[in-house]
């Protein structure tokens, strides 16, 4: 059988090339997703700033929440006395208390984000002086080479550095360099000055004494640290190796799950799509070989033998496609990962990892895809009888089987259940978790019913098509109705492409718009004051309030926390506001209590999520740094379902963030004061506070949904890959379908039809295919979009520009026309008599 398969491959290169392309692209996509999945699971971030430390003592960011483990978004502070205990552990040569805070050098330059430290931390990387000397006084500072070069400064120059709510002039005493790459810039103060700016110890960098076993030292340090932090709400831990990189780049921990979920979801989707693409391609290839299979049956071949022959051919093509995908997959995955890091979804500190596991997974998926696709695509073709296939007028009309019908009904039932679940139970962005599987289940169900739906749709549109297109349309409709089963092999990939593109694009636009609207509803500020270093002096709020044209102003802080009954394992957004200005700058509409009472150890909760609690009750709030506090409910307000947010006093929340200071100041203009006048007045006030700036309301809203837009962009990219893959399948199937009709075209021309008339018929057929595919794809997308829009935006229709849908439809039509007319024109180049006698 294998020898026969090899001989048949030599004469079926054209048709099998379509199968090769489908399998090759499927393998590349699965390997790409597998590489991203492995990268997310490993989550390796090689140490940069802490590369010179053998071990690092740091706050434990893992927060158990029932059966789940959340990641703290803020840095848990260490007890300053812990450093002395670590130094006393046998085998420790040096222990450096790290003070880490954001800083920015002010001036004309484009330098990477910088972090500030005490000078003793320079030895941890290690940094070495390239010029000048170490800082000695409170007004001395040292910069790394990249930062100093970006601003064109050298030792002896004066530089202005913004840090911890203020900006002051310092003398640059030295420039340091590292023997390895460090992505973030470095600003070094004296240890005393760093302690003044940031009293909290972020981590302790430990260097082992020569000859000390690092594993044993880690165990000893772990025991000491556990004893010292046993009563702490956020205990400490000891890390080594690449785990040190996660200490430098905490976003490595918080974004790990996003990459895993995204890669897993799209990898599974790609595998399912590949099965349908390959099965459709194989089915069309088998249809073109009906006469060949009939002859084999005539000389004694059994359906089992023909099936084995077909599977052998498909597997041999799969081997070649897998070998090609083995080399193409890793570069594609690494390139996609670079796009992720460039967009900010994944930290640039994470190292891309793609070992043998994704390759094996892709090989397994390729094998499964080829077997399923070959079996599904050829199972009916190999049963053809000689009489059915040898008759030139024979067309395939049977398509339904009990297994196929039951499977289709099960998928459609599952889609219906998911749609109802989305509509009834979910609110807000969480509804996307069921909306995505809904469209996939619907698309699979419709694909299984594709031949019957294609035949039905062809009957329904035959009247209007005849009325508009005349004789050419009459012939196209008759041909389409006669070839409905074969046409379904082309309609199905069009439907899949339209369904996935429409659903995923509008899911993202709807979610982004809903998030923007929810945030805007809670914001009444006309402007916002922020800082280059990310923190502001609390005293600046009073100066802003005294500015001409300002009606109200208040400090503003954002973080994430955990409150029983509100949010999920990922927590609930916390907004720190100033009660004195909150009534004018935020849209807190109290149902119970007064906004002015939001002071001290208090919290404001959405009434719908209060879970029976009322004003005056106490609720435990765990902040982003792991610390917990019992807060009294001061206000219950009217929130938006699915977008729960809790409000606490800005001063209270700031103390549990990395900067420990207000991040912004929200400003409301007096009645009659224009945005331009407000900005001009604020800029005069801020002239005495270097490093601060003023932005308008729209900029604040856009900044708030930046993460949502990043996630949307990534989804667009991944969906684009799968849609492009499906589009190639459309082209493959149309080319196979049209090029296999040379005898039919020859007979039509012998009967008197001109080349132009045949091309006109093909054009109308292509439009029918595109129309049915677009209609079914739109229906599949609607099963997800309507429930999701209701849950996320309280609307029956998704939000987003109509041009998105128009582009999807135009793309489907353009693909159908191009992939039909080009091979059709090529098939018509033969003389009619030759074409009528040609083998399909």
């Amino acid at each position: 059988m294998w020898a026969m398969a090899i001989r048949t491959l030599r004469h079926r290169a054209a048709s099998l090339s379509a199968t090769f392309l489908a399998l090759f692209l499927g393998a590349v996509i699965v390997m790409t997703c597998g590489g991203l999945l492995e990268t997310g699971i490993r989550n390796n971030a090689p140490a940069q700033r802490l590369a010179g430390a053998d071990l690092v003592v740091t706050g434990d960011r893992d927060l158990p929440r029932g059966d789940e483990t959340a990641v703290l978004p803020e840095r848990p502070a260490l007890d300053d006395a812990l450093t002395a205990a670590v130094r006393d552990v046998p085998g420790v040569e040096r222990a450096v208390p790290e003070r880490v805070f954001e800083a920015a050098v002010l001036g004309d330059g484009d330098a990477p984000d910088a972090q500030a430290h005490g000078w003793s931390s320079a030895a941890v990387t290690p940094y070495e002086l390239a010029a000048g000397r170490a800082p000695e006084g409170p007004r001395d500072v040292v910069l790394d080479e990249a930062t100093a070069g970006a601003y064109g400064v050298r030792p002896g120059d004066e530089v202005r550095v913004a840090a911890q709510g203020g900006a002051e002039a310092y003398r640059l005493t030295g420039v340091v360099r590292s023997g390895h790459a460090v992505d973030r810039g470095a600003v070094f103060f004296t240890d005393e000055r760093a302690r003044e700016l940031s009293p909290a110890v972020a981590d302790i960098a430990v260097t082992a004494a020569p000859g000390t076993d690092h594993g044993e030292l880690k165990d000893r340090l772990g025991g000491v640290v556990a004893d010292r932090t046993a009563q702490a709400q956020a205990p400490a831990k000891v890390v080594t190796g690449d785990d040190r990189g996660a200490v430098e780049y905490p976003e490595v921990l918080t974004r790990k799950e996003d990459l895993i979920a995204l890669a897993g979801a799209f990898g599974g989707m790609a595998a399912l799509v590949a099965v349908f693409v390959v099965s459709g391609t194989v089915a069309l290839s088998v249809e073109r070989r009906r006469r060949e299979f009939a002859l084999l049956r005539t000389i004694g071949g059994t359906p089992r033998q023909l099936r084995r022959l077909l599977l052998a051919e498909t597997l041999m093509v799969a081997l070649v496609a897998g070998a090609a995908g083995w080399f193409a997959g890793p570069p594609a995955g690494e390139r996609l990962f670079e796009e992720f890091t460039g967009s900010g979804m994944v930290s640039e500190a994470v190292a891309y990892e793609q070992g043998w596991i994704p390759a094996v997974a892709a090989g397994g998926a390729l094998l499964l895809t080829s077997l399923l696709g070959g079996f599904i695509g050829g199972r009916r073709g190999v049963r053809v009888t000689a009489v059915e296939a040898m008759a030139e007028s024979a067309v395939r009309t049977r398509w339904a089987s009990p297994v196929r019908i039951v499977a289709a009904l099960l998928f459609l039932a599952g889609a219906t259940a998911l749609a109802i679940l989305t509509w009834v139970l979910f609110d807000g962005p969480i509804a996307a978790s069921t909306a995505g599987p809904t469209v996939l289940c619907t698309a699979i169900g419709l694909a299984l019913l594709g031949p019957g739906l294609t035949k039905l749709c062809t009957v329904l549109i035959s009247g209007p098509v005849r009325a508009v297109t005349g004789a050419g349309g009459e012939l196209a409709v008759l041909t389409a109705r006669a070839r409905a089963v074969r046409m379904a092999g082309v309609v199905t990939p069009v439907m899949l492409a339209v369904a996935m593109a429409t659903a995923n694009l509008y899911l993202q636009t709807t979610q982004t718009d809903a998030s923007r609207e929810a945030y805007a509803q809670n914001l009444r500020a006309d402007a916002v004051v922020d800082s280059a270093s990310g923190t502001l002096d609390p005293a600046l709020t009073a100066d802003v309030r005294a500015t001409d044209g300002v009606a109200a102003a208040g400090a503003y802080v954002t973080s994430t926390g955990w409150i029983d009954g509100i949010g999920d394992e990922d927590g609930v957004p916390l907004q720190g506001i100033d009660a004195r200005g909150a009534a004018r700058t935020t849209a807190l509409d109290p149902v119970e209590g007064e906004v002015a009472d939001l002071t001290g150890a208090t919290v404001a909760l959405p009434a719908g999520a209060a879970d029976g609690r009322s004003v005056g009750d106490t609720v435990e709030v765990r902040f982003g740094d792991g610390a917990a506090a019992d807060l009294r409910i001061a206000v219950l307000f009217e929130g938006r379902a699915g977008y729960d947010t809790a409000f606490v006093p800005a001063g209270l929340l700031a103390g549990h963030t990395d900067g420990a200071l207000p991040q912004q100041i929200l400003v409301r203009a007096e009645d009659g004061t224009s945005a331009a006048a407000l900005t001009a007045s604020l800029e005069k006030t801020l002239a005495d506070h270097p490093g601060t700036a003023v932005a308008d309301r729209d900029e604040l809203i856009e900044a708030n949904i930046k993460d949502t837009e990043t996630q949307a962009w990534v989804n667009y990219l991944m969906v684009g890959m799968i849609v492009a893959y499906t589009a190639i399948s459309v082209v493959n199937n149309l080319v196979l379908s049209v090029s296999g009709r040379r005898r039919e075209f020859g007979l039509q021309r012998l009967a008197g039809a001109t080349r132009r008339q045949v091309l006109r018929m093909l054009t109308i057929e292509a439009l029918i295919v595109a129309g049915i595919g677009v209609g079914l794809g739109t229906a599949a997308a609607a099963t997800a979009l309507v429930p999701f829009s209701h849950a996320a935006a309280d609307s029956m229709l998704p939000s987003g520009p109509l041009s998105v849908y128009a582009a999807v439809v135009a793309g489907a039509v353009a693909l159908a026309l191009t992939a039909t007319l080009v091979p059709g024109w090529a098939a018509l180049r033969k003389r009619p008599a030759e074409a009528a006698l040609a083998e399909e």
Side-chain angles (χ1 to χ4, degrees):
M1 191 60 67
W2 287 97
M4 186 175 181
I6 294 174
R7 287 194 293 270
T8 59
L9 284 176
R10 296 170 54 191
H11 303 284
R12 298 293 174 186
S15 60
L16 291 175
S17 62
T19 304
F20 166 81
L21 186 59
L23 289 171
F24 167 71
L25 292 175
V28 171
I29 292 178
V30 173
M31 278 195 72
T32 298
C33 293
L36 295 176
L37 185 62
E38 181 178 354
T39 300
I41 292 174
R42 292 182 182 274
N43 207 36
N44 290 336
Q48 297 179 14
R49 178 179 59 83
L50 296 172
D54 298 316
L55 306 96
V56 178
V57 179
T58 185
D60 191 351
R61 287 178 177 259
D62 291 338
L63 177 66
R65 300 292 297 177
D67 295 333
E68 303 288 340
T69 299
V71 178
L72 297 175
E74 311 290 348
R75 182 188 304 113
L78 300 179
D79 185 355
D80 204 5
L82 182 60
T83 303
V86 170
R87 287 196 182 110
D88 292 337
V89 174
V92 172
E93 179 178 350
R94 181 179 59 193
V96 178
E98 286 272 297
R99 304 181 192 277
V100 182
F101 50 97
E102 299 301 315
V105 178
L106 306 181
D108 296 329
D110 185 14
D113 294 338
Q115 284 185 332
H117 317 273
W119 174 245
S120 60
S121 297
V124 174
T125 304
Y127 278 108
E128 295 181 352
L129 282 167
R133 61 171 177 81
E136 297 175 353
R139 287 294 174 265
D140 291 349
V141 72
V142 171
L143 302 178
D144 69 288
E145 275 189 325
T147 304
Y151 290 99
V153 293
R154 334 179 201 183
D157 292 345
E158 181 181 278
V159 295
R160 186 173 290 274
V161 180
Q164 293 301 91
E168 299 183 33
Y170 294 86
R171 179 178 56 180
L172 180 63
T173 64
V175 174
V176 294
R177 70 161 62 105
S178 171
H180 58 271
V182 180
D183 293 338
R184 286 177 178 165
V187 179
F188 293 101
F189 300 94
T190 63
D191 289 342
E192 292 75 14
R193 180 60 177 158
R195 186 181 297 108
E196 292 175 4
L197 292 171
S198 180
V201 175
D203 48 72
I204 303 172
V206 179
T207 303
T212 302
D213 182 88
H214 290 182
E216 294 179 359
L217 179 57
K218 181 179 180 181
D219 292 339
R220 289 196 294 269
L221 283 172
V224 171
V225 169
D227 291 340
R228 289 277 179 165
T229 62
Q231 304 303 319
Q233 293 179 323
K237 64 180 180 178
V238 183
V239 299
T240 58
D242 285 346
D243 289 338
R244 296 169 299 169
V247 177
E248 300 179 47
Y249 298 90
E251 63 270 20
V252 169
L253 300 174
T254 57
R255 296 175 184 173
K256 171 183 177 180
E257 299 298 331
D258 292 340
L259 186 59
I260 293 175
L262 190 67
F266 279 98
M269 185 184 298
L272 286 175
V273 171
V275 170
F276 278 93
V277 168
V278 173
S279 63
T281 303
V282 172
L284 284 175
S285 177
V286 170
E287 287 295 326
R288 294 185 59 181
R289 301 170 63 181
R290 287 166 62 86
R291 292 169 62 86
E292 174 189 336
F293 285 165
L295 289 173
L296 290 174
R297 291 290 307 278
T298 302
I299 62 175
T302 65
R304 181 180 179 182
Q305 290 174 323
L306 296 183
R307 186 179 298 111
R308 288 176 58 194
L309 172 64
L310 188 61
L311 289 178
E313 292 177 352
T314 306
L315 283 174
M316 293 178 70
V317 174
L319 289 176
V320 180
W326 180 284
F327 294 102
E334 190 165 3
R335 181 69 185 88
L336 184 61
F337 183 75
E338 290 175 358
E339 292 293 331
F340 285 3
T341 56
S343 69
M345 178 185 175
V346 181
S347 171
E348 294 182 355
V350 176
Y352 180 72
E353 301 277 353
Q354 184 162 357
W356 59 270
I357 295 178
V360 172
L366 184 66
L367 178 63
L368 183 63
T369 298
S370 58
L371 288 175
L372 285 177
F375 178 78
I376 295 172
R379 66 186 183 86
R380 185 174 293 278
V382 298
R383 298 176 184 174
V384 65
T385 64
V387 175
E388 290 176 335
M390 297 298 291
E392 293 183 353
S393 61
V395 292
R396 180 180 167 189
T397 57
R398 295 176 57 195
W399 63 273
S401 68
V403 174
R404 185 168 189 159
I405 298 299
V406 170
L409 293 177
L410 287 176
F411 275 107
L412 292 177
T416 302
L418 287 171
I420 294 173
L421 187 67
T422 305
W423 182 286
V424 175
L425 295 183
F426 291 151
D427 291 307
I430 193 175
S433 60
T434 53
T438 300
V439 67
L440 191 58
C441 286
T442 305
I444 293 174
L446 294 181
L448 291 170
L449 298 176
L453 293 174
T454 301
K455 184 178 294 186
L456 175 62
C457 292
T458 303
V459 172
L460 294 176
I461 66 174
S462 59
V465 171
R466 289 193 185 99
V468 174
T469 58
E474 177 76 23
L475 184 58
V477 168
L478 292 174
T479 303
R481 293 179 65 173
R483 297 172 56 86
V485 176
R486 289 190 182 186
M487 185 181 289
V490 181
V491 169
T492 296
V494 174
M495 181 267 294
L496 284 172
V498 171
M500 287 190 298
T502 303
N504 284 281
L505 291 175
Y506 279 109
L507 279 174
Q508 290 300 328
T509 56
T510 302
Q511 185 168 333
T512 299
D513 289 348
S515 298
R516 180 187 290 107
E517 182 181 351
Y519 182 77
Q521 285 180 354
N522 282 336
L523 181 69
R524 289 176 179 164
D526 298 308
V528 60
V529 175
D530 55 22
S531 167
S533 64
T535 53
L536 292 167
D537 184 350
L540 180 60
T541 305
D543 294 341
V544 172
R545 284 198 185 106
T547 301
D548 291 340
V550 172
Y556 183 66
V557 184
T558 59
S559 185
T560 301
W562 287 265
I563 305 173
D564 289 339
I566 303 179
D568 53 21
E569 67 275 3
D570 293 327
V572 60
L574 296 181
Q575 294 186 30
I577 57 177
D578 190 333
R580 185 172 173 182
R584 302 290 301 274
T585 57
T586 56
L588 269 177
D589 298 322
V591 174
E592 186 179 351
E594 298 292 336
V595 178
D597 296 333
L598 192 64
T599 59
T602 58
V603 63
L605 301 179
D611 195 22
R613 291 169 288 208
S614 60
V615 170
D617 291 345
T618 300
V619 60
E620 182 184 75
V621 176
R622 187 171 291 274
F623 295 100
D625 63 349
D630 292 329
L631 304 184
R632 180 178 57 84
I633 300 176
V635 181
L636 293 178
F637 62 92
E638 189 66 40
R640 180 171 180 176
Y643 298 90
D644 293 328
T645 299
F647 294 86
V648 295
L652 174 62
L653 183 58
H656 296 283
T657 61
D658 289 348
L661 291 171
Q663 299 161 351
Q664 295 171 320
I665 299 175
L666 302 182
V667 183
R668 179 68 181 270
E670 291 180 343
D671 295 339
T673 300
S674 66
L678 176 64
T679 300
S681 296
L682 289 172
E683 287 176 345
K684 291 180 181 178
T685 299
L686 298 179
D688 297 330
H689 300 273
T692 58
V694 59
D696 61 21
R697 170 188 171 90
D698 292 338
E699 291 176 300
L700 184 62
I701 293 173
E702 291 303 317
N704 178 262
I705 63 169
K706 182 179 179 180
D707 289 341
T708 303
E709 291 181 337
T710 298
Q711 181 73 31
W713 179 89
V714 171
N715 281 341
Y716 294 157
L717 184 62
M718 297 292 285
V719 171
M721 289 173 56
I722 297 179
V723 170
Y725 175 40
T726 312
I728 292 174
S729 167
V730 174
V731 174
N732 281 344
N733 289 356
L734 279 170
V735 170
L736 283 176
S737 178
V738 175
S739 60
R741 298 169 63 185
R742 289 172 300 187
R743 180 185 291 110
E744 174 190 335
F745 298 155
L747 291 173
Q748 287 179 350
R749 293 178 65 190
L750 288 175
T754 66
R755 181 179 297 178
R756 180 178 180 181
Q757 288 173 326
V758 175
L759 287 175
R760 176 180 171 82
M761 178 195 71
L762 287 176
T763 300
I764 298 172
E765 285 185 20
L767 292 175
I768 291 175
V769 167
I772 295 175
V774 168
L776 294 177
T778 303
T783 61
L785 290 176
V786 172
F788 176 77
S789 299
H790 175 267
D794 198 21
S795 170
M796 293 295 292
L797 296 176
S799 60
L802 188 60
S803 58
V804 172
Y805 181 70
V808 172
V809 173
V813 173
L815 274 177
L817 287 174
T818 303
T820 299
L821 295 181
V822 172
W825 175 81
L828 291 172
R829 294 179 64 186
K830 280 193 173 184
R831 297 175 59 185
E834 294 178 357
L837 297 175
E839 289 287 341
E840 291 187 359

